[in-house]
Amino acid sequence: MTHPAPTELLDLARTVALTAGALAHRRRTEGVEIAASKSSPEDIVTAADREVELLIRGLLADARPNDGFYGEESDASGGSSGLTWVVDPIDGTVNYLYGIPFYAVSIAVVQGDPDPASWNSLAGAVVNPTLGEVFTASEGSGAWLGDQRLHVNHDVPLSLALAGTGFSYEAARRVWQANVVGGLIGQVRDIRRIGSAALDLCAVACGRLDLYFERGLNPWDHAAGALIAREAGARVGALQADAEGRDLLIAAAPALYDQFEPVLTGLFERFPSDAGLR
Ligand code: LIP
């Protein structure tokens, strides 16, 4: 099934993400309302998360009615075009709630099922409305921050790597993740917890981080950011040849990735999850 050029799909992703970002920002200044909690009391959804996703979904359906949709805050829908939009309306919702200027609208379009293990990412946009930063990438055309081409940091030894990571909304998983970070912190330059997987991956792409890893992410958290990191020269995946996914996502320059992988494997063995978490 033919589809438009990735650069053309990117224009749509960027335009919609900017419009959605403006709404999210406006709602932030008006005051944030928690609508509900999801997998745990810590896992909240705001009224703005839902409103912004509705806006994105409508704009994409108007422009491309035959595409599928897979978003964090609403039911997925299939399409007949072979393309699916993978959307996180506000990635970094807890930052959004607290007014920490690190949340983002994340929009990607993939070919095939919305499953990181098999999809082919064509284009992605991540917009941080507070900083006015627009990260974009399309398949084979590189990664950009505005009109600045991005490249990951190369030739960084693990001991000098600034590593980003994140923690789950499940308390038992957070304790397990913290044990792993405790085992790692003496082997890297330092750790950063930015609070948005989409912005963590963009940070690897633009060299603000040397390495990022996290367990427990949903496809919408990383769909656009992983393409942006890849197009900036990062290797993105899990352990061995596994594709990134809910189990684990690692992103770093290839040489650093190769150094980090055995260390992380060792830490997972040293700190097996008490609660049998995978
Ligand atoms: C967030 C991720 C972050 C992770 C949080 C949460 P949300 O997504 O971007 O990396 O550590 O637990 O999953 O819930 O803000 O869309």
Side-chain angles (χ1 to χ4, degrees), residues 43 72 88 90-94 166-169 193 195-198 200 212 214 217-218 220-221:
D43 184 6
E72 176 168 9
D88 192 335
I90 299 179
D91 187 50
T93 297
V94 174
F167 300 93
S168 167
Y169 288 124
R193 197 306 190 232
S196 156
D200 282 310
Y212 166 65
E214 186 161 355
L217 293 174
N218 293 296
W220 45 76
D221 294 322

Side-chain angles (χ1 to χ4, degrees), residues 32-121:
V32 175
E33 186 201 324
I34 295 178
S37 59
K38 299 190 283 186
S39 64
S40 69
E42 303 98 304
D43 184 6
I44 52 109
V45 55
T46 68
D49 282 277
R50 291 175 173 169
E51 186 186 4
V52 173
E53 180 152 322
L54 215 53
L55 171 71
I56 294 170
R57 193 165 190 155
L59 292 170
L60 292 173
D62 291 348
R64 294 197 46 85
N66 301 323
D67 292 354
F69 186 89
Y70 187 68
E72 176 168 9
E73 309 302 352
S74 56
D75 297 338
S77 60
S80 58
S81 66
L83 300 185
T84 299
W85 295 86
V86 183
V87 171
D88 192 335
I90 299 179
D91 187 50
T93 297
V94 174
N95 284 353
Y96 185 74
L97 176 67
Y98 282 80
I100 299 169
F102 284 96
Y103 65 87
V105 176
S106 174
I107 299 180
V109 59
V110 302
Q111 200 177 8
D113 295 335
D115 175 358
S118 59
W119 69 26
N120 175 37
S121 300

Side-chain angles (χ1 to χ4, degrees), residues 208-253:
R208 291 175 190 166
L209 287 175
D210 300 305
L211 155 70
Y212 166 65
F213 72 101
E214 186 161 355
R215 304 200 89 157
L217 293 174
N218 293 296
W220 45 76
D221 294 322
H222 58 83
L227 177 66
I228 292 164
R230 267 198 184 97
E231 286 291 328
R235 177 177 160 198
V236 182
L239 294 179
Q240 278 97 41
D242 292 354
E244 68 275 15
R246 186 159 175 74
D247 192 29
L248 176 66
L249 181 148
I250 305 171

